[in-house]
Amino acid sequence: MHADGPLTESTELRMDQLTTESAAAPAADTAAVFTTQGLEVYYGDFRAVRDVDLTIRQHEITAFIGPSGCGKTTVLRCFNRMNDLIDTARVKGSIRYHGVDLYDPQVNAVEVRRRIGMVFQKPNPFPKSIYDNVAYGPRLAGIKKRTELDAVVERSLHGAALWDEVKGRLKASGLSLSGGQQQRLCIARAIAVEPEVILMDEPCSALDPIATARIEDLMQEIKQQYTIVIVTHNMQQAARVSDRTAFFTTEVNPESDRRTGRMVEFGRTSKMFSKPDDERTEQYVTGRFG
Amino acid sequence: MNELRKSFHSDLDDAKKELVALAASVTEAIPRATAVLLEGDLEGADFIIRGDDEIDARSLDIEEHCYRILALQAPVASDLRQVVALLKMVAEVERSNDLLCNICKAARRIYGHELDPKLRGIISRMGEQAQQLYDAAIESFIENDAAKAAAIDDMDSYLDGLQKQFVQAIFESHAAGRIDLQVAVQLAVVARFYERIGDHAVNIGERVNFVVTGWLPEHKGAQRYRARMDITGEIPRDGMADLAGDPS
């Protein structure tokens, strides 16, 4: 698992080129990890979200905000092809991951999900021990040696700021932990397979403020190694933790009375919360529209 | 479209109304202070000087109101700009009233001295111009009118010109033996007070521009500073003083 397999059989990721390109870009911008253009997601013939044009940059936290039903989770799930698991879902437009078309038929969705991990709204540890939760992915990837697994588990639990709390009871069930600890266990499980990107779908919505603050601190720490995309209903959380923010809204088609999500504005978080360009963003963040 | 956070926004509107009312009190006091000076009205001087405590108290209330909004409501975007602007404006208004008190104190010091018509005429015009500047500043804030706010800067140039004229007239009056040195000095300081009140109105206008457009007035000076840094590659030893150039 440590030697990254190629994402596709024919297309090697050309990281060296990407690095060179990013060096020429303005100093403030890190390399692009994902770039979407004209992205739309359909469920059957229903267009759930459109106009998604954004760039997710390396070692940054990108937040998606917007009212319910605006398509932010749908877009998040495109980044690791989780929407493939829904029969009727299909994607139009392009999502490029390091320049590679993520939806190219040759792209291996399992390898995509190895590189792009996900943490969900509700902590969902497996009904296994803390150790086995974290070791699950590495075992699937073929690591058998106990010492090697031990090292991965310890490193991942450290990485998720959970080690000190659980090191004496690694054999206890993951479900015996508190909600906040369970969510950090899920983060440890996600980073155990050494992904490049971690997608977080409202990771703190089931947690109390202290557990939330821990996760937010943890996000700041781990963004040095990973790239994070977070969907959140908590605008202040987006303001606190993210480097860039995408604002989505919903539009109702008067004829069909169907709601379609739409990305309205994408920019640096400091700007989105102080002087957004789009009036709709302004109205949403100031609470004049909901 | 559903209006959310209604009580927060009405709270924010209240803070704005408090500031507008405070600024209106100061605006009304400008012609009173001018009359105190021209008529040697010692009672009127006392009235304005005592009234400053009330202005201070109301300023403090507005400041605390803003802190409460920041602490409890986490305002963002235009709401945040408004709270930050209110905090800056309240200091400008409060300071302007201090300057009116200073004019009244100067009136006490020159009590009993006759001023010639030319001096009286310019004092009167400075007072009117300062009041107009304040009116315009407050109107632009009420109406969120960045264009009107920008015009205040030009109006202030006229007040600056009056101040220069006034200083010249003081010299002439003193040279002709119509006023003694102590009165001349007091009058020169009074001219400076009016001019400063105008500057505070300009600053309020700049904050209105910030509320509307998000542009901070200090950007002009900061740009000059950065340009200088780009050339020399280091912070100038004499600090900002030589960068001030044409302070606007």
Side-chain angles (χ1 to χ4, degrees):
Chain A
M1 61 161 282
H2 292 287
D4 282 349
L7 196 62
T8 67
E9 288 170 18
S10 58
T11 322
E12 284 279 358
L13 279 183
R14 301 174 70 183
M15 291 293 291
D16 54 332
Q17 282 192 341
L18 282 161
T19 319
T20 316
E21 273 173 22
S22 74
D29 284 349
T30 52
V33 177
F34 291 105
T35 307
T36 73
Q37 271 181 333
L39 178 67
E40 299 182 346
V41 184
Y42 286 78
Y43 293 117
D45 60 354
F46 167 58
R47 184 164 64 179
V49 62
R50 67 187 177 107
D51 293 346
V52 184
D53 292 287
L54 48 78
T55 300
I56 308 285
R57 295 190 178 276
Q58 212 162 39
H59 304 312
E60 282 194 354
I61 299 175
T62 304
F64 291 176
I65 60 169
S68 295
C70 66
K72 34 189 206 300
T73 296
T74 297
V75 172
L76 187 78
R77 291 163 61 94
C78 290
F79 290 130
N80 69 346
R81 293 190 43 175
M82 287 283 281
N83 287 331
D84 292 13
L85 308 175
I86 300 168
D87 285 342
T88 56
R90 74 199 152 84
V91 168
K92 275 178 77 175
S94 86
I95 307 184
R96 304 192 85 82
Y97 172 58
H98 292 297
V100 175
D101 179 0
L102 202 59
Y103 280 79
D104 186 295
Q106 288 185 306
V107 166
N108 175 352
V110 174
E111 178 59 20
V112 166
R113 290 180 205 133
R114 215 271 311 143
R115 287 168 188 251
I116 303 162
M118 193 149 184
V119 174
F120 298 87
Q121 183 172 1
K122 203 165 160 245
N124 57 353
F126 302 134
K128 292 170 174 287
S129 71
I130 294 167
Y131 185 98
D132 287 342
N133 261 280
V134 182
Y136 191 85
R139 277 188 180 126
L140 273 184
I143 299 185
K144 299 245 163 33
K145 273 171 78 178
R146 184 75 192 187
T147 50
E148 222 175 303
L149 278 175
D150 286 353
V152 172
V153 169
E154 183 174 343
R155 190 180 61 234
S156 305
L157 287 169
H158 266 301
L162 190 59
W163 175 252
D164 288 338
E165 291 163 58
V166 301
K167 62 186 174 192
R169 50 178 172 138
L170 293 175
K171 286 188 177 154
S173 167
L175 298 169
S176 69
L177 299 173
S178 72
Q181 288 172 325
Q182 286 188 18
Q183 196 62 304
R184 278 180 283 147
L185 178 62
C186 293
I187 293 173
R189 188 177 64 191
I191 63 183
V193 293
E194 295 184 358
E196 184 193 2
V197 182
I198 302 174
L199 307 176
M200 296 184 165
D201 188 2
E202 296 182 46
C204 301
S205 60
L207 305 182
D208 68 45
I210 292 172
T212 298
R214 282 223 178 88
I215 301 276
E216 289 179 1
D217 279 352
L218 177 61
M219 288 170 70
Q220 294 300 332
E221 281 164 32
I222 64 176
K223 81 169 189 178
Q224 313 301 331
Q225 287 111 51
Y226 309 98
T227 299
I228 299 173
V229 187
I230 176 175
V231 164
T232 177
H233 269 126
N234 180 340
M235 272 190 286
Q236 283 307 313
Q237 179 171 61
R240 281 192 300 266
V241 303
S242 71
D243 301 291
R244 286 174 214 262
T245 298
F247 168 60
F248 293 74
T249 189
T250 51
E251 284 182 350
V252 182
N253 181 334
E255 286 168 22
S256 62
D257 199 34
R258 284 182 130 176
R259 295 154 75 92
T260 292
R262 186 172 182 189
M263 197 193 84
V264 169
E265 187 171 354
F266 174 63
R268 288 199 179 273
T269 300
S270 53
K271 183 164 192 302
M272 296 284 281
F273 284 92
S274 59
K275 183 72 182 77
D277 286 331
D278 196 290
E279 183 64 17
R280 289 165 293 183
T281 314
E282 165 86 27
Q283 289 182 333
Y284 183 74
V285 298
T286 59
R288 286 186 172 81
F289 155 75
Chain B
M1 193 173 287
N2 302 324
E3 156 91 38
L4 299 174
R5 305 193 75 187
K6 271 187 196 158
S7 68
F8 158 52
H9 289 127
S10 96
D11 193 22
L12 191 56
D13 285 344
D14 287 346
K16 178 171 177 171
K17 283 177 195 154
E18 288 160 18
L19 191 278
V20 168
L22 183 76
S25 300
V26 174
T27 311
E28 284 168 17
I30 296 172
R32 280 194 212 138
T34 307
V36 162
L37 185 66
L38 293 176
E39 290 157 24
D41 175 5
L42 295 185
E43 257 181 60
D46 278 346
F47 180 80
I48 289 176
I49 292 166
R50 270 205 315 275
D52 190 50
D53 287 343
E54 185 201 328
I55 298 292
D56 287 353
R58 285 163 66 192
S59 303
L60 200 60
D61 286 346
I62 293 169
E63 210 173 313
E64 283 174 355
H65 194 166
C66 290
Y67 290 150
R68 212 161 51 234
I69 289 172
L70 286 170
L72 304 181
Q73 300 289 356
V76 295
S78 59
D79 296 341
L80 177 62
R81 295 201 301 279
Q82 175 135 320
V83 179
V84 171
L86 283 170
L87 280 169
K88 299 288 271 189
M89 286 176 177
V90 75
E92 307 285 352
V93 177
E94 188 272 329
R95 185 70 193 125
S96 299
N97 203 66
D98 290 346
L99 292 166
L100 291 175
C101 292
N102 291 348
I103 291 172
C104 292
K105 287 174 187 168
R108 283 174 175 170
R109 291 186 197 113
I110 63 168
Y111 180 72
H113 292 270
E114 279 296 313
L115 303 180
D116 58 49
K118 185 172 184 186
L119 291 176
R120 296 176 67 86
I122 303 177
I123 288 174
S124 188
R125 277 155 65 200
M126 283 194 299
E128 282 163 18
Q129 187 65 11
Q131 189 187 3
Q132 278 179 24
L133 278 163
Y134 243 86
D135 272 336
I138 296 312
E139 268 177 37
S140 71
F141 184 47
I142 293 170
E143 293 159 12
N144 276 330
D145 186 340
K148 188 176 272 181
I152 298 167
D153 205 5
D154 292 335
M155 291 168 70
D156 186 48
S157 305
Y158 179 65
L159 181 56
D160 292 348
L162 283 175
Q163 187 213 359
K164 288 192 187 93
Q165 262 184 52
F166 188 61
V167 170
Q168 191 58 39
I170 293 168
F171 285 145
E172 287 165 11
S173 203
H174 177 60
R178 291 193 292 273
I179 52 172
D180 64 25
L181 183 62
Q182 195 214 344
V183 174
V185 170
Q186 287 298 328
L187 288 179
V189 175
V190 161
R192 174 79 176 144
F193 294 150
Y194 280 112
E195 187 266 332
R196 288 301 301 157
I197 291 171
D199 289 348
H200 288 300
V202 171
N203 289 351
I204 291 172
E206 286 176 336
R207 292 294 149 184
V208 172
N209 190 28
F210 168 69
V211 171
V212 178
T213 67
W215 200 83
L216 279 169
E218 283 73 18
H219 283 184
K220 276 187 202 163
Q223 271 166 7
R224 285 195 292 268
Y225 180 71
R226 291 203 186 96
R228 179 88 173 199
M229 288 278 285
D230 285 346
I231 296 164
T232 63
E234 59 181 351
I235 298 170
R237 278 184 198 198
D238 45 357
M240 298 293 283
D242 64 329
L243 299 169
D246 169 30
S248 37

